[in-house]
Amino acid sequence: MNGKQRIAAAMWHEPVDRVPVMCQLAIGHYLLNTDLTPVEVGFTSEGFARALVTLQQRYGFDGILINLMGTDPDWMRWVERIETGADGSQTVHFVNGDTARCPADDNVHHLPRGGQRRPTIDRVDPEKLYYDDPHGTGGQKYPFYFGLEPYRPDRDDYWPDYLWRTIDLVLGEVGDSISVHSEIFSPFTQFLELFGYQQALMYLLDDPDKCHTILAAYARGAADLGSRQARRGVDAVLISSAFAGAGFISPPQYDEFVLPYEAEVVRQVKAQGVPVYTHTCGDIGDRLERMADTGIDGIDTLDPPPLGSVDLEDAKRRVGDRVFFKGNIDPVGTLLKGSREQVRRDALWRLSVGSPGGGYILSSACSVSPRVPPENLTVLVEASKEFGTPG
């Protein structure tokens, strides 16, 4: 089997020749382990696509997650100058006075002229909400628009054509050999980004009715984006719902503010014929059944203690027949700080627990941090081959 076939079989709980391996890498890891500059990775589809494919090939992963949307090929028309520091970091100065700090080991940080201004909930018109991309050029805005030149987007013609460029480039490079996944932000994630995390959580208590209206608007946009990505040819769509764990909201709040909106996104994207899975960080051991109730096909991260609360054996018993699992290797204690042999032993144990009955993709729990040694990642595929065909 090739990577595309192997991951497809795992997602559908079908037999595999070996357990597939696919990790999500932090942007800083791409920067530290390729010859690409921060600006190339952060602002060009060509640069990010090359980073994705280069490290997939180096580590032997069976899949690639495209977690940044495509970029405007004419983005330099907004740029006044680009400065490069001695440490490899870069700063982009835009003609409108905004800046973007591009560390040598981290995501781009957009700094609007005059500082970030977030709206209060009473000033937000849900009719002006559809989908926000806080990592695109210009960062978070309200009302949102793509790029740096303000305009009022039309929901019927919302998506600039260049947003699909990275998907097209990666698919053109790997063909039918590697499983290619795209990412969308959940309604709840966008809600938190709109107001800032602390204030957004307060609004859940102070004005729940308005919160529901806002979440419904974001659900429509997220479902539209995920459906379009599916039609573009990706093999699966990941819903990034990083902040829906117990560190932020209770199980009853999950039922009220997350589950119904993610369920609607899942329903519409799955109608395109591709699997959908959810990435939620940290403490999710108390809500695995609730996550499965959204209708997703899989759960990503499954952070083990002490980062989270998921015991893989327990999770397998509880919802392993309903969803596939991707993750559960401690990205800090094991991948970052462990030796190559420690990583190998840890991976073999998780393979023995996660693979019975199918539905397991070996992966770091959350993103592979920038300074994880590359040799600790190449050992993952070696461990999968050593483990062999699941019994």
Side-chain angles (χ1 to χ4, degrees):
M1 304 177 81
N2 62 26
K4 180 177 177 130
Q5 295 165 338
R6 196 172 288 122
I7 286 185
M11 290 191 292
W12 297 121
H13 287 76
E14 295 173 352
V16 291
D17 58 342
R18 66 166 178 81
V19 175
V21 180
M22 175 186 174
C23 295
Q24 174 178 330
L25 306 177
I27 297 300
H29 192 85
Y30 290 110
L31 294 172
L32 294 177
N33 292 281
T34 68
D35 61 358
L36 293 156
T37 67
V39 163
E40 288 175 314
V41 170
F43 288 94
T44 74
S45 292
E46 290 80 6
F48 188 45
R50 183 153 70 89
L52 291 166
V53 174
T54 296
L55 293 194
Q56 175 272 317
Q57 293 176 343
R58 184 176 303 169
Y59 299 143
F61 292 161
D62 294 292
I64 289 173
L65 174 66
I66 303 174
N67 56 339
L68 295 176
M69 289 201 284
T71 57
D72 188 340
D74 192 28
W75 75 283
M76 283 294 293
R77 72 183 185 278
W78 296 318
V79 175
E80 177 186 279
R81 69 185 188 280
I82 299 174
E83 298 173 347
T84 301
D87 62 351
S89 64
Q90 294 181 295
T91 302
V92 180
H93 296 266
F94 295 102
V95 294
N96 71 348
D98 289 2
T99 58
R101 293 178 181 169
C102 311
D105 60 356
D106 200 359
N107 293 43
V108 174
H109 304 289
H110 295 274
L111 304 173
R113 179 185 58 189
Q116 181 73 53
R117 295 185 180 90
R118 297 186 185 275
T120 55
I121 196 167
D122 59 298
R123 293 186 175 276
V124 168
D125 179 359
E127 290 300 315
K128 295 180 180 179
L129 301 175
Y130 196 58
Y131 189 88
D132 298 350
D133 177 22
H135 298 301
T137 302
Q140 182 72 39
K141 323 172 187 77
Y142 172 77
F144 184 81
Y145 54 88
F146 293 96
L148 287 182
E149 298 165 353
Y151 65 95
R152 177 168 292 185
D154 180 350
R155 287 184 180 181
D156 295 327
D157 187 24
Y158 194 78
W159 314 102
D161 288 340
Y162 61 72
L163 295 181
W164 325 117
R165 294 181 67 241
T166 307
I167 291 175
D168 293 345
L169 288 165
V170 171
L171 288 173
E173 183 68 24
V174 305
D176 289 330
S177 63
I178 299 298
S179 190
V180 177
H181 303 184
S182 61
E183 179 178 289
I184 60 176
F185 290 118
S186 73
F188 191 69
T189 292
Q190 294 182 73
F191 173 82
L192 293 183
E193 293 286 347
L194 176 64
F195 297 116
Y197 300 168
Q198 178 174 319
Q199 188 59 64
L201 294 174
M202 292 298 296
Y203 286 146
L204 297 181
L205 303 176
D206 295 339
D207 197 347
D209 291 342
K210 184 71 173 285
C211 293
H212 282 297
T213 307
I214 291 170
L215 289 164
Y218 280 138
R220 289 191 289 272
D224 186 13
L225 176 58
S227 298
R228 290 172 185 269
Q229 290 174 341
R231 293 195 294 269
R232 202 73 183 188
V234 299
D235 300 297
V237 174
L238 171 67
I239 299 176
S240 179
S241 193
F243 312 108
F248 286 83
I249 54 175
S250 67
Q253 287 176 315
Y254 185 95
D255 291 342
E256 181 176 359
F257 297 108
V258 177
L259 197 158
Y261 303 104
E262 287 195 16
E264 180 58 23
V265 174
V266 170
R267 184 189 67 80
Q268 292 191 42
V269 178
K270 284 178 68 171
Q272 308 303 316
V274 302
V276 180
Y277 61 111
T278 298
H279 172 112
T280 300
C281 303
D283 188 354
I284 63 171
D286 66 348
R287 61 200 63 199
L288 294 175
E289 288 83 3
R290 288 174 162 88
M291 295 177 72
D293 286 345
T294 64
I296 52 174
D297 298 293
I299 297 176
D300 184 34
T301 75
L302 302 155
D303 289 290
L307 299 178
S309 60
V310 175
D311 175 89
L312 189 57
E313 291 178 299
D314 174 62
K316 194 79 174 176
R317 285 191 299 268
R318 288 165 57 188
V319 295
D321 60 337
R322 300 174 62 187
V323 296
F324 70 82
F325 291 146
K326 176 181 174 291
N328 200 237
I329 297 179
D330 184 336
V332 178
T334 300
L335 289 178
L336 178 63
K337 298 181 178 179
S339 68
R340 182 176 168 85
E341 178 56 27
Q342 288 172 319
V343 174
R344 186 188 73 83
R345 289 198 303 268
D346 187 275
L348 288 171
W349 181 83
R350 293 180 203 282
L351 288 165
S352 70
V353 174
S355 66
Y360 185 58
I361 298 171
L362 183 66
S363 172
S364 57
C366 202
S367 296
V368 172
S369 65
R371 286 175 172 76
V372 165
E375 59 269 21
N376 281 1
L377 295 176
T378 56
V379 77
L380 296 179
V381 170
E382 294 173 14
S384 175
K385 291 178 179 177
E386 178 182 344
F387 184 80
T389 304

